[in-house]
Amino acid sequence: MKICNMEAMKQIKQLEEEINLLESEERMNCVVSYKEGETKTTPNYDYKKVRKLINDANDKIRKIKYALQVVNGSYKIDEFNITIAEALVYLAQLNNEYSRLSFLTSKNKISRRITANGVLEYTECQYNPEDVKKDQKELLAKISKLQVAIDRANLNCFIEI
């Protein structure tokens, strides 16, 4: 069956949710408590069946993730001339850079304060915050363009599962 990367990621998420649900139900039903003299009511819990369902879901997840890794390592995003895998790493790097620039743009070019002993102290940036704001705006545009390119690739790239 051929599906696009986005569908594959949605299937992984759905399978992970199924596993979480199975594990939650298992935690609730794997033991039973009852008082002396009461009739024990046994929940519909089957250890082997739950193990099989979880293992089957994990097998599917593994196969889908492997297929995604293969295509992500080979499918090129034309606008950036890098693979999807490289683009994901690059996106994380750009987001880290954006955070650093956000810190720098939060500073005033020059600020002053009065120290505990009453002396006026100045703090001056060794860069122009306006230049950083310009770079940050350009970086945000690049991040958006890369995100759209990755999304487009994930919709247009198909894997066999």
Side-chain angles (χ1 to χ4, degrees):
M1 173 173 79
K2 274 194 164 193
I3 60 173
C4 73
N5 287 7
M6 188 71 69
E7 288 173 299
M9 289 182 275
K10 296 286 184 191
Q11 281 189 8
I12 290 169
K13 181 105 170 131
Q14 181 181 354
L15 288 165
E16 289 172 341
E17 287 297 320
E18 287 175 18
I19 290 170
N20 287 338
L21 183 60
L22 286 167
E23 289 173 344
S24 176
E25 288 176 3
E26 182 175 53
R27 282 189 296 276
M28 290 181 352
N29 296 320
C30 69
V31 295
V32 62
S33 296
Y34 57 95
K35 295 179 183 167
E36 186 177 351
E38 285 184 343
T39 304
K40 177 174 75 171
T41 56
T42 307
N44 189 17
Y45 170 72
D46 183 337
Y47 169 79
K48 290 184 187 285
K49 179 181 174 186
V50 172
R51 294 281 67 69
K52 180 171 178 9
L53 290 170
I54 290 173
N55 288 336
D56 289 349
N58 277 326
D59 287 345
K60 289 176 188 173
I61 289 170
R62 233 181 359 268
K63 287 175 185 171
I64 295 170
K65 282 187 174 187
Y66 175 73
L68 281 172
Q69 286 177 338
V70 169
V71 76
N72 284 352
S74 60
Y75 187 90
K76 287 266 186 179
I77 296 175
D78 292 334
E79 300 101 310
F80 291 86
N81 195 33
I82 57 176
T83 64
I84 296 172
E86 290 173 296
L88 293 170
V89 172
Y90 187 39
L91 182 61
Q93 292 170 335
L94 292 176
N95 281 317
N96 285 337
E97 178 67 11
Y98 187 83
S99 292
R100 284 190 295 279
L101 294 183
S102 293
F103 169 77
L104 293 174
T105 59
S106 71
K107 302 295 180 191
N108 293 320
K109 177 66 178 159
I110 191 164
S111 61
R112 66 181 187 176
R113 72 177 187 94
I114 299 174
T115 63
N117 58 357
V119 175
L120 194 55
E121 176 183 79
Y122 293 90
T123 303
E124 185 175 353
C125 291
Q126 298 299 302
Y127 59 91
N128 184 345
E130 292 305 314
D131 291 342
V132 178
K133 285 179 185 176
K134 180 180 171 249
D135 290 346
Q136 187 181 32
K137 186 176 179 181
E138 291 171 5
L139 182 60
L140 186 58
K142 185 182 233 178
I143 289 169
S144 294
K145 184 178 178 182
L146 181 58
Q147 286 173 326
V148 168
I150 292 169
D151 289 345
R152 188 178 304 113
N154 282 330
L155 288 169
N156 294 324
C157 187
F158 288 84
I159 61 172
E160 184 73 38
I161 58 168

